[in-house]
Structures are given as structure tokens and as C-alpha cells.
Amino acid sequence: PATESTTAFNNFFKFLHIKDEVVRQLFDKLIIEISGHPLSWFSITRAMQHIDAKVLWVHDDDDKITPLNDTFKIKEQNYPGLKFVVTHGLGHRRIYRDKKVVNSVIDFL
């Protein structure tokens, strides 16, 4: 999942080669009209402060879709129930099939 929705949609607009600022402004306005919140509100960084549970966060440093640097603000907060596991070279999709990651999830559960 996206850590920061703003990053995810910035990447989506780049992927579709949509460079027109008017289109982006209309998109952002529509998000506010539908939800009552700006795109930046849909953020795990914001939501984490309301989560009172143990969380295992597995993230790859080579994730091109959900960049690791989007997690830095969360890591800085040092939430007591949050455990980060950073993998290397698995990217966004292979991380789910990696045996070490699967075992980490099983051990966590």
C-alpha cells in the first residue's frame, strides 16, 4: 500500500505522462469535494498516531512504487508498537513472496 497518497498520485500522474497542472488541480479539488480532506490527509504518517496496536512494517529499500523515504517521518516518531523490517533488492512486489519476509510475518502473528 501507499505510505503517502500524495507520492502515489504524483507517480501515477508521471506514469500517465499527465503534466498539465490544471488537470492535477482539478483532481486535487475533486478529492476534497468527495472526501472533505486533501490528498495529503490520506497518509499512513497521519494515521499511525491513531493506531494502538502492534504493527510489523516490511518495506524494501528498492521499492520504486512506494519509496522508502516516505517512511522516514514515521520511523522518527518511534512508535512503541511499530517494528520496521527493511529488505534489500526485493522491490515492491517480490517482497510478498520472499521466504524470510513470510517467516517474519508468521513469527509476528
Side-chain angles (χ1 to χ4, degrees), residues 6-84:
T6 304
T7 301
F9 278 98
N10 287 344
N11 291 339
F12 182 69
F13 274 72
K14 285 179 192 174
F15 176 76
L16 293 178
H17 303 285
I18 299 173
K19 298 176 185 176
D20 188 336
E21 273 301 309
V22 174
V23 172
R24 181 54 192 259
Q25 290 170 1
L26 290 171
F27 174 82
D28 290 343
K29 183 179 175 186
L30 184 61
I31 294 295
I32 292 170
E33 287 175 8
I34 291 171
S35 69
H37 300 286
L39 186 59
S40 60
W41 188 83
F42 299 96
S43 159
I44 300 227
T45 303
R46 181 200 55 79
M48 272 305 299
Q49 54 193 303
H50 304 289
I51 297 174
D52 186 26
K54 290 185 178 183
V55 175
L56 174 64
W57 189 310
V58 184
H59 208 116
D60 194 79
D61 61 0
D62 192 35
D63 190 327
K64 304 284 191 251
I65 296 172
T66 307
L68 183 63
N69 62 358
D70 274 0
T71 68
F72 294 163
K73 288 179 185 176
I74 298 167
K75 289 171 86 172
E76 289 171 3
Q77 296 301 315
N78 202 24
Y79 293 106
L82 180 58
K83 178 183 177 186
F84 270 96

Side-chain angles (χ1 to χ4, degrees), residues 59-62 68 85-91 94-95 98 101:
H59 208 116
D60 194 79
D61 61 0
D62 192 35
L68 183 63
V85 175
V86 178
T87 60
H88 308 285
L90 297 174
R94 287 178 294 177
I95 196 168
D98 183 77
V101 171

